[in-house]
Amino acid sequence: MKFAKILSTCFARGRVRENTELLGDPPGFFCHSQNFTTLDDTIKLLNYQINMELKYPPGVSRDLIIVNSDVGSKEGNAFINELNNKEINDGKLFSFTRKNVGLSYGAYSDAFLKFRENYDFFLFIEDDLITAKKNYLKIGYEKWLQTKNCGFVAYYGLSKVKKGWWKKAGLNETNAISAYSGCGLSSKKVLNKIVDQFGTLPHNNKNIDHEDSIAYGELGFSKSIINLGYELTELKNEILVMPAYDMM
């Protein structure tokens, strides 16, 4: 089996949250800390991400794919370009810059479409979350194998979606479950079925509205897997992912 870890990043963001808090049903640390507001912040964050791959090795060979959403940062885009084709522990690092559409979910989609012929499994994660446990990918894959009809292993947790989102996201009682930030592991087989149906992985490609991007991206990603008849699962006795800002 060949594995890829897709890491989404961006060089423009303004949200600051100093403390990680519980949120959701059942509650999880989904309201996580974040304070990366400058170019230097994001470069330090990405270097930290790469270093953490050495501190917390995946347990299986994998390539790391960093996908950058273009916000016009010449310095940031140049940094991403310099990372491409570097050797890292247990694999290689690939990086590219894309049009800034659909938040991380558009980045996940573009990266999957670009690399789907090369790998059997894909782990999706945003740059402000860290896979902070040794053998993090091996553990997730073993959970996949143990789960009947598995479509997605949530690495940061699953939560029920509040009814206030149902209409916008096209949800109902059978599919109102979401993997936070789309963070988790899925297979090329499952993801290709989504692409066969929609042409891409779910994301907001119509406007820049943040709520629409969550509804069509984060919630739409999980919904599309459930609607295909697959199961979402999570690792309740393992903490595989931590907020980067807390760790830094």
Side-chain angles (χ1 to χ4, degrees):
M1 290 293 171
K2 298 185 69 175
F3 296 84
K5 177 180 180 180
I6 295 176
L7 178 76
S8 67
T9 191
C10 180
F11 286 92
R13 50 188 135 192
R15 179 178 293 174
V16 174
R17 185 185 296 126
E18 289 290 339
N19 301 302
T20 294
E21 300 175 358
L22 286 168
L23 187 73
D25 181 15
F29 291 106
F30 304 134
C31 188
H32 67 80
S33 65
Q34 48 193 295
N35 189 354
F36 307 103
T37 60
T38 69
L39 170 72
D40 287 343
D41 287 344
T42 299
I43 290 176
K44 288 177 182 178
L45 173 61
L46 292 174
N47 283 327
Y48 185 79
Q49 283 277 2
I50 295 167
N51 290 334
M52 290 300 99
E53 289 295 305
L54 185 60
K55 183 175 182 179
Y56 301 107
V60 296
S61 296
R62 62 80 195 82
D63 291 334
L64 174 62
I65 300 167
I66 298 179
V67 50
N68 170 46
S69 295
D70 188 4
V71 293
S73 172
K74 292 182 179 179
E75 298 93 337
N77 293 353
F79 175 78
I80 294 297
N81 189 56
E82 290 173 2
L83 292 176
N84 193 36
N85 283 312
K86 284 192 174 183
E87 298 287 338
I88 58 172
N89 61 306
D90 302 304
K92 288 193 70 173
L93 193 165
F94 299 105
S95 59
F96 71 100
T97 295
R98 62 178 284 271
K99 186 177 179 181
N100 185 23
V101 175
L103 303 180
S104 293
Y105 317 104
Y108 294 163
S109 180
D110 283 355
F112 173 69
L113 293 175
K114 185 178 179 69
F115 290 96
R116 61 175 167 170
E117 300 303 324
N118 300 342
Y119 304 97
D120 302 295
F121 282 86
F122 292 82
L123 173 62
F124 300 95
I125 191 166
E126 294 179 307
D127 64 358
D128 55 9
L129 297 174
I130 300 286
T131 44
K133 185 162 186 171
K134 186 178 179 181
N135 297 325
Y136 68 82
L137 197 47
K138 181 181 179 183
I139 291 167
Y141 180 57
E142 289 173 349
K143 180 66 173 179
W144 176 282
L145 295 176
Q146 294 163 6
T147 305
K148 185 178 180 180
N149 199 35
C150 193
F152 195 85
V153 180
Y155 267 52
Y156 203 56
L158 296 173
S159 184
K160 297 176 183 177
V161 181
K162 292 182 178 180
K163 285 191 174 182
W165 284 96
W166 284 22
K167 183 177 180 181
K168 180 182 287 287
L171 300 174
N172 55 51
E173 292 182 356
T174 65
N175 61 17
I177 301 291
S178 177
Y180 177 78
S181 82
C183 179
L185 181 71
S186 192
S187 71
K188 176 172 70 173
K189 177 183 176 181
V190 171
L191 299 170
N192 271 336
K193 287 187 177 181
I194 298 172
V195 172
D196 288 344
Q197 191 170 28
F198 300 106
T200 66
L201 297 184
H203 65 281
N204 176 21
N205 59 7
K206 298 178 180 179
N207 56 54
I208 59 173
D209 182 78
H210 184 79
E211 286 196 359
D212 282 355
S213 295
I214 297 299
Y216 306 147
E218 179 177 353
L219 306 184
F221 193 14
S222 294
K223 179 185 75 171
S224 66
I225 295 170
I226 296 170
N227 286 354
L228 284 171
Y230 291 104
E231 295 294 324
L232 304 184
T233 189
E234 60 184 334
L235 293 125
K236 294 185 177 181
N237 298 318
E238 299 275 4
I239 297 176
L240 299 183
V241 171
M242 293 284 288
Y245 187 61
D246 286 352
M247 295 185 68
M248 294 171 77

